[in-house]
Amino acid sequence: MSWSLERDDGTITEWERSDGYATVRLRERAAGGFVVRLDVMEQAADESAYERIRFDDREAADTRATEWREARDLDD
């Protein structure tokens, strides 16, 4: 299953998996730095999960968001 960009407003960038049961969100913090969050619902075909990691720079946060999307991509 593929991921699509659902939101990108300069503060929050969020991708949703095509089944609708998983999201990855990258958010700029008001206090500085970035937070990346993975949320896979219990209804998903794969194992549910929730992870949240804080990064000092956007590049590292973006790398983690990409890794999560690649790891949680489901074959149709």
Side-chain angles (χ1 to χ4, degrees), residues 9 16 20 28 34 39 46 54 58 60 62-64 69:
D9 61 18
E16 183 176 304
E28 186 172 4
F34 298 85
D39 190 3
D46 53 336
R54 196 164 47 190
R58 172 131 190 154
D62 217 6
T63 297
R64 181 45 133 173
R69 289 192 318 272

Side-chain angles (χ1 to χ4, degrees), residues 7-42:
R7 179 176 175 181
D8 190 5
D9 61 18
T11 302
I12 295 174
T13 304
E14 185 170 51
W15 299 266
E16 183 176 304
R17 196 167 63 187
S18 59
D19 67 354
Y21 292 129
T23 59
V24 173
R25 176 181 281 195
L26 189 156
R27 176 179 59 85
E28 186 172 4
R29 300 177 67 234
F34 298 85
V35 171
V36 182
R37 188 248 315 136
L38 166 70
D39 190 3
V40 182
M41 293 186 230
E42 291 181 17

